[in-house]
Amino acid sequence: MPRVLIIDDDRNLRFALRRILDANSYNIDEAGTGEEGLALVQSQSYDVILLDLRMPGMSGIEVLEKLRAVDPRTPVVMMTAFGTTDTAIQAIKMGAFDFVLKPFEIDEIQRVVARAVESYRLMTRRVEVAEDETPATDADADTLIGRSRPMQEVYKQIGRVAQTDASVLITGPSGSGKELVARAIYQHSKRAGRPFLAVNCAAIPEGLLESELFGHERGAFTSADHRRLGKFERADKGTLFLDEIGDMSPMTQAKILRVLQEGVIERVGGAETIEVDVRVIAATHRDLPRMAQEGTFREDLYYRLNTFTINLPPLAERPEDIPLLVRYFIDRACRHDGRPGVHVLPETMDKLMAHQWRGNVRELENVINRALIVTTGNALLPESIVLSDAGSLAARAVLPAGDEQLLDLLFERLVARYSRNPDDPILSVLEREMLARAMKHENGNQVQAARLLGISRQTLRNRLADEESTLPDEGM
């Protein structure tokens, strides 16, 4: 349960906040003065601190400065009356996470605290790499799972880029773990002790995204009743993760480009140029090179983001990692629920291995969690696994008769080849054949061949590197 510290000299307000937040399952401590609050912070950590701006004795600004010295990553939400918003904004510049105006609405304070708790989780929950084939579950860490060659390349790339200040573009399908990679880069970077903020560009309406990123001045639009600092200012000296950047409008893209080129921003409705020092990590499931060619994504921004690219492969391209992921998700869920371990029957694993996992790692995790809910014994049964038809190899539409005849002929030829060389599995033969023919069909263009096959360019390169020749076998 997230830990919340309320520092306010108003006992009634502390009581009200406790009632509001208790309903949301927070562990809450209280302090009536800044000195009491600092003493609590010295003895334990908190996911978020609610701090009154005006208190007798040590002021909220003084307390904030000392809190930042203890741990600059802990989100501090300032609470202030209407007449002191300028001071609250100054507190934001000093590193406060946000501020709320008194009197505040219940849903407003709940939203702010929830965002702060999530921000703290992103900064402090460790991202580790599984060291062996049976990764241990650490309650205080998330783990990048995978011993396959594509995942080994991902780990190497994280290590290469983490200590630099280069912009990073993380590509890959939804549910493949792009946020984990971004957090791993941040945690191994020189900015690890500074803020890490995340913005999902696809989840925020376009009219609000610009304000969320760059802030706004009072009166910039109808509901702008006070100045607000955006994520770039709040992440100064730290890292900003822009998830699903491919969903960003051309106007906002232009402003992002300016930040990357010049290190300056302007708030919405303002004319002041503000310098910021922010490392940008972006992620997308979209094909940005094609979007750049089509004019739906700025080509200059793509090349600026593309300083270093990490491509996360879909789960279907690394099936050897599925047993590791299954074991990890089961162990983590059992540990969280305090239940005995659950083992996976061979036939259950066969069912999981036969699925295409269009939702990738996220879909696998959800399937395992649902299966554990209905599992009463110590074995995970096949009937407990509920799979989406969209991702099942056995649930495809019936092919036209002509296509089925072609597939029958192809399979017979593959079986004939297998009978001559049983050490060469049929799938391996078929894969080499398809790679070769795709390259031939696209005249050697790897980007087009990868798109034709439905795999990433890096995966295509890795597969081609494993083959002695890309020429089609005339015996086929």
Side-chain angles (χ1 to χ4, degrees), residues 166-171 185 242 245-246 280-284 286 288-289 297 301-311:
S167 300
V168 182
L169 178 62
I170 306 170
T171 62
I185 294 171
L242 300 178
I245 197 170
V280 172
I281 302 176
T284 183
R286 297 184 178 275
L288 291 191
F297 193 86
L301 176 57
Y302 168 68
Y303 288 124
R304 193 78 186 190
L305 291 170
N306 200 32
T307 303
F308 194 92
T309 299
I310 297 177
N311 181 67

Side-chain angles (χ1 to χ4, degrees), residues 87-263:
T87 309
I89 290 169
Q90 183 61 35
I92 297 291
K93 292 182 178 180
M94 292 175 58
F97 176 80
D98 206 341
F99 69 85
V100 291
L101 301 176
K102 300 177 182 178
F104 42 73
E105 299 292 332
I106 291 177
D107 59 345
E108 177 191 13
I109 195 70
Q110 289 174 340
R111 286 195 303 269
V112 171
V113 170
R115 288 201 306 267
V117 168
E118 174 65 10
S119 176
Y120 188 67
R121 181 192 70 82
L122 293 176
M123 284 187 279
T124 58
R125 189 174 175 90
R126 298 192 311 279
V127 177
E128 298 178 344
V129 175
E131 297 292 340
D132 52 43
E133 294 186 357
T134 56
T137 302
D138 186 342
D140 296 323
D142 293 321
T143 308
L144 280 165
I145 303 293
R147 310 304 295 169
S148 61
R149 180 175 296 177
M151 288 305 295
Q152 291 296 315
E153 184 61 29
V154 169
Y155 304 150
K156 293 176 185 177
Q157 291 174 322
I158 292 173
R160 291 179 186 128
V161 77
Q163 283 294 315
T164 75
D165 263 343
S167 300
V168 182
L169 178 62
I170 306 170
T171 62
S174 297
S176 55
K178 296 188 287 294
E179 181 202 287
L180 283 180
V181 173
R183 286 166 52 200
I185 294 171
Y186 158 73
Q187 291 174 7
H188 290 87
S189 73
K190 296 176 290 186
R191 299 174 182 250
R194 306 297 299 181
F196 175 86
L197 301 181
V199 179
N200 188 328
C201 302
I204 302 175
E206 179 53 39
L208 300 178
L209 180 59
E210 190 177 356
S211 173
E212 182 74 14
L213 292 171
F214 306 106
H216 62 254
E217 297 289 351
R218 181 177 181 179
F221 44 86
T222 304
S223 59
D225 53 2
H226 59 271
R227 176 189 291 172
R228 189 168 189 84
L229 276 60
K231 285 291 197 296
F232 272 102
E233 284 186 84
R234 299 180 188 207
D236 192 35
K237 304 297 189 299
T239 304
L240 184 60
F241 175 45
L242 300 178
D243 198 8
E244 298 302 351
I245 197 170
D247 292 74
M248 189 178 286
S249 73
M251 180 181 296
T252 309
Q253 290 174 32
K255 292 195 171 187
I256 295 292
L257 178 63
R258 186 186 183 196
V259 180
L260 295 177
Q261 289 178 332
E262 304 175 21

Side-chain angles (χ1 to χ4, degrees), residues 51-64:
L51 175 62
D52 188 25
L53 189 59
R54 288 188 174 182
M55 294 184 294
M58 188 179 292
S59 71
I61 292 294
E62 292 175 299
V63 176
L64 173 63

Side-chain angles (χ1 to χ4, degrees), residues 349-387:
M349 187 60 72
D350 290 342
K351 183 175 181 178
L352 293 168
M353 293 292 291
H355 194 63
Q356 284 189 322
W357 301 110
R358 298 186 187 278
N360 296 291
V361 178
R362 185 183 298 131
E363 181 189 2
L364 175 60
E365 180 180 12
N366 291 338
V367 166
I368 295 300
N369 288 339
R370 286 198 302 266
L372 289 173
I373 292 174
V374 299
T375 297
T376 56
N378 63 351
L380 196 65
L381 305 177
E383 52 266 33
S384 300
I385 303 296
V386 180
L387 300 172

